[in-house]
Amino acid sequence: MRLESLAPLLTRNGPWATVYTDTARATESAGAERRLTARAAGDELIRQGADPRTAEAVVERLAALSPNEEPHGAAVFATEGEVVLGLPLTEPPERARVSWSALPHLGPLPGLMRENPLCLTARIDRTGADFELRDAYGTRPAGQALGEDWPVHRTASGDPSERHFQLRVENTWESNAGLIADAISQRFQETDADVLVLSGDPRERRAVHDRLPEPLREAAIETSHGGRAAGADSELLDRDTRRAREEFTERHTAEALAGLRAGHAAGAAPAPATGAGTAETVPALVEAAREHRVGTLLMRPGGPDREQEVWVGPTADQIGVRRSELQYLGAPDPAAARADDALLRCAVATDAEVLVADTEEDLPVGGLGALLRWTYDENPAGPAPGTS
C-alpha cells in the first residue's frame, strides 16, 4: 500500500473523525440513501463526542460522494471542523465504520485499499511508444517516446541500392529501440512504478526489451495485445496488466511473509531470507516504530494485537505501551489509541511500506508484524538519535 497520500494526516493533532462508507449502489434512490447515511454518520460522531462543526463537515462530504469518482467507497478523515483528507477505496467496506478517536482510524485502510501496485505500460511500434500508468483507479496517459519515422519499412528488391536502403531501415529500428528503452527506464523511475508491461509486435517489443537495464529487463512482462496501432485490443491488454499487478502483489507479500516466518522461527533473530530483523509483538513493534526501524509493516485481518491499547503524543514517534513512557518522549498529555492506528501513523511518517497478509496462514500471529530496516547488531553506532 502506498502511504504518500496519507501525509496530510500528520500535520494536525486531532482528535479525529473517521468514516468508511460504501458508494457502490447506483440506484434512483442512491442520492437520498447517501444523504441518510451521511446524517447517520454525523449523529454517531456526535454520540461519540465529536464537536458539531467536525461532524457537519463529515456529513457534507459524505453526502457529496459520487459513485463515478469513488466507485467502491471512500474514507473520510476530519478534525477541527474540516475534512482534511478523503480517499477513494479499491474495495467496498462490508459495513460503514464511524470513529471519533485521538488518531485517525487507519486500521481498516490497508484492507480496503490493498497494495495497488502501479503499472507502467509501453505500447511500442517501430517509430516510438505511448506510455500509460495503470492502477486500481484506472488508466491515464504518461507521455511518449518518439524516434525516427523514416526509413522504417523494408522493400522487396534485391538491387544493391535497395540493400543499402534496407540496412538504413535496420539501423533506424535499432536506434529507435534504444531510444524507447531509455525513455521507458527514465519514465519507470520518475513515476515510481512497480510493474512494467511491454505491448506491441513481438520483434519491436523484443528489441526494446533487450536494451533495458538488466533489473528492469528481468522484471518486464511482454504481451502482444494492445499495441500502438489504432484499434489495438485494449481489453486484452487490461487483462494482462491486471494479472501482472496481481502477480506482483502476491510475490511481494509472499517474500515479506517468508522473511517474517524465518524471523519468527528464529525467535526474531535476523531473518536468513531477508537479512533483516523482525518484530511480532506490540512492545517490540512500538519500540521499532519509535526508532524508525520498521521497513515493512504486515497486517493480518482480525488479529487481536491490532486493538491493543498503546499511548501516543502529537508526533508519530511519540508512542509507547505505557502511559508513563510518553513523558520521556516529550508528550506530557498522552492519549490512548489502537496499536494498528498508531503503527500505521508511524509507517506514514517514516516512509515504511504496508502489506496485508490475507492468507490461510496465521502470520503475523497477533495480526501485526514487521520486517526491520536494521537491528542493533547491524548498527554499531547504536539506536537512532533521540531514542533510548
Side-chain angles (χ1 to χ4, degrees):
M1 176 186 169
R2 293 170 176 264
L3 302 176
E4 308 95 293
S5 59
L6 302 181
L9 303 181
L10 299 177
T11 64
R12 308 285 274 274
N13 291 337
W16 288 87
T18 306
V19 177
Y20 294 88
T21 187
D22 181 1
T23 58
R25 289 178 294 181
T27 64
E28 291 183 2
S29 62
E33 291 178 11
R34 276 198 304 278
R35 287 190 291 273
L36 289 172
T37 300
R39 179 51 58 191
D43 291 344
E44 176 60 20
L45 286 171
I46 293 293
R47 190 192 68 79
Q48 293 185 26
D51 62 278
R53 287 179 56 246
T54 300
E56 193 58 33
V58 171
V59 169
E60 291 178 5
R61 175 60 67 90
L62 294 175
L65 292 175
S66 166
N68 295 326
E69 297 179 4
E70 297 93 0
H72 304 292
V76 175
F77 304 91
T79 187
E80 297 178 333
E82 178 185 356
V83 172
V84 177
L85 184 64
L87 293 174
L89 304 176
T90 60
E91 300 280 342
E94 294 182 0
R95 58 182 177 82
R97 295 173 180 263
V98 180
S99 172
W100 177 251
S101 51
L103 298 182
H105 184 27
L106 299 174
L109 200 57
L112 297 174
M113 292 185 71
R114 296 295 176 175
E115 190 173 354
N116 192 22
L118 183 63
C119 177
L120 176 66
T121 302
R123 295 173 176 259
I124 299 166
D125 68 8
R126 295 176 182 179
T127 64
D130 296 326
F131 302 143
E132 297 169 339
L133 288 173
R134 296 164 178 254
D135 60 14
Y137 301 118
T139 302
R140 51 200 180 275
Q144 58 182 185
L146 297 177
E148 297 293 332
D149 59 5
W150 190 90
V152 293
H153 297 290
R154 291 172 171 171
T155 62
S157 171
D159 184 87
S161 64
E162 292 299 324
R163 287 198 295 272
H164 177 70
F165 179 80
Q166 291 187 30
L167 180 60
R168 290 180 61 194
V169 170
E170 293 285 348
N171 288 339
T172 301
W173 286 3
E174 296 296 318
S175 174
N176 284 352
L179 182 150
I180 295 168
D182 289 344
I184 288 173
S185 179
Q186 181 178 352
R187 202 76 184 114
F188 191 86
Q189 190 171 27
E190 289 173 348
T191 59
D192 197 25
D194 302 296
V195 181
L196 173 63
V197 172
L198 308 178
S199 74
D201 178 83
R203 186 186 189 281
E204 297 150 7
R205 194 178 68 231
R206 176 52 50 172
V208 171
H209 176 275
D210 290 346
R211 286 161 178 77
L212 292 171
E214 184 175 351
L216 200 52
R217 187 166 65 242
E218 293 177 355
I221 295 169
E222 298 184 65
T223 175
S224 296
H225 304 127
R228 203 174 178 213
D233 195 336
S234 293
E235 184 176 341
L236 291 175
L237 177 60
D238 290 343
R239 182 201 64 186
D240 292 345
T241 301
R242 184 168 55 251
R243 181 183 302 138
R245 293 177 59 250
E246 290 171 352
E247 289 174 353
F248 173 87
T249 297
E250 292 170 0
R251 183 171 61 253
H252 194 37
T253 304
E255 290 170 353
L257 281 173
L260 188 65
R261 192 180 304 114
H264 180 67
T274 64
T278 63
E280 208 179 344
T281 65
V282 170
L285 288 163
V286 164
E287 181 182 18
R290 192 166 59 218
E291 298 170 352
H292 301 185
R293 290 190 289 124
V294 173
T296 300
L297 179 66
L298 290 108
M299 307 182 71
R300 178 172 62 84
D305 286 353
R306 296 183 56 156
E307 297 184 30
Q308 184 170 323
E309 183 180 81
V310 298
W311 292 88
V312 297
T315 64
D317 52 5
Q318 291 174 328
I319 176 175
V321 293
R322 291 181 298 276
R323 194 179 194 280
S324 58
E325 294 178 62
L326 272 293
Q327 68 181 52
Y328 299 106
L329 300 173
D333 189 23
R338 289 173 53 120
D340 54 2
D341 292 344
L343 290 170
L344 279 165
R345 183 176 69 152
C346 290
V348 176
T350 60
D351 197 27
E353 69 173 348
V354 176
L355 297 177
V356 177
D358 194 1
T359 65
E360 295 182 1
E361 185 178 15
D362 288 338
L363 275 178
V365 174
L368 296 169
L371 301 182
L372 305 181
R373 290 177 169 133
W374 52 268
T375 64
Y376 289 125
D377 290 340
E378 298 166 340
N379 186 41
T387 64
S388 56

